[in-house]
Amino acid sequence: VDDDIEPYPAPAVLFFGERWDAPQLDYNTVQVDAPVGRACLHCGEPVEAGDRGLMRLTMRGTRENPVATQEPAHMECDLRMGLGSLAHMEGRCRCCTGIDSEPSSWTAREEALAVLAHVNQLRAAGGRAPM
Ligand SMILES: [Zn+2]
Ligand SMILES: [Zn+2]
C-alpha cells in the first residue's frame, strides 16, 4: 500500500477457511472460525465446514434503527459479486452484447462456483495456482 495515497489504517479483513491467493488477503487479515450454519450474504446458503470466505460489514435493521453486522460471504460468491456473472466474463451478457443471454438455471452458489472455476482456468493458462 502506498503511504502517499493511503493515510488511514486499513481495517483488518476477516476471513475463514483455508487462505487463498487474492489481493484482499495480502495485508491486514485475521482468520476467524468458519461461521458454520450462518447464511452467506450473497447466495443465502449456509456456510459449511471447509468453506472459504470473508466476513463482510453489512447494514441490517430499519432506517430508524440501523444495525451493523458482520456476515459471512463465500469467497466464490464474493468473487462473483466483484467480477460479474460467468456470462459477463465470457462477454455473452446483456451489458456486453445488448442482447439478453440465456437465463441461467443455476443457483447463485452454482453460478459463483462456475465463476471461480473460470477464474482458475484463466490462472492455469497463465501458469498460476488456483485460488
Ligand atoms: Zn455464497
Ligand atoms: Zn457484460
Side-chain angles (χ1 to χ4, degrees), residues 88 93 95-96:
H88 175 66
C93 65
C95 75
C96 295

Side-chain angles (χ1 to χ4, degrees), residues 85 87-89 91-97:
S85 66
H88 175 66
M89 291 190 73
R92 298 184 275 109
C93 65
R94 188 170 224 293
C95 75
C96 295
T97 64

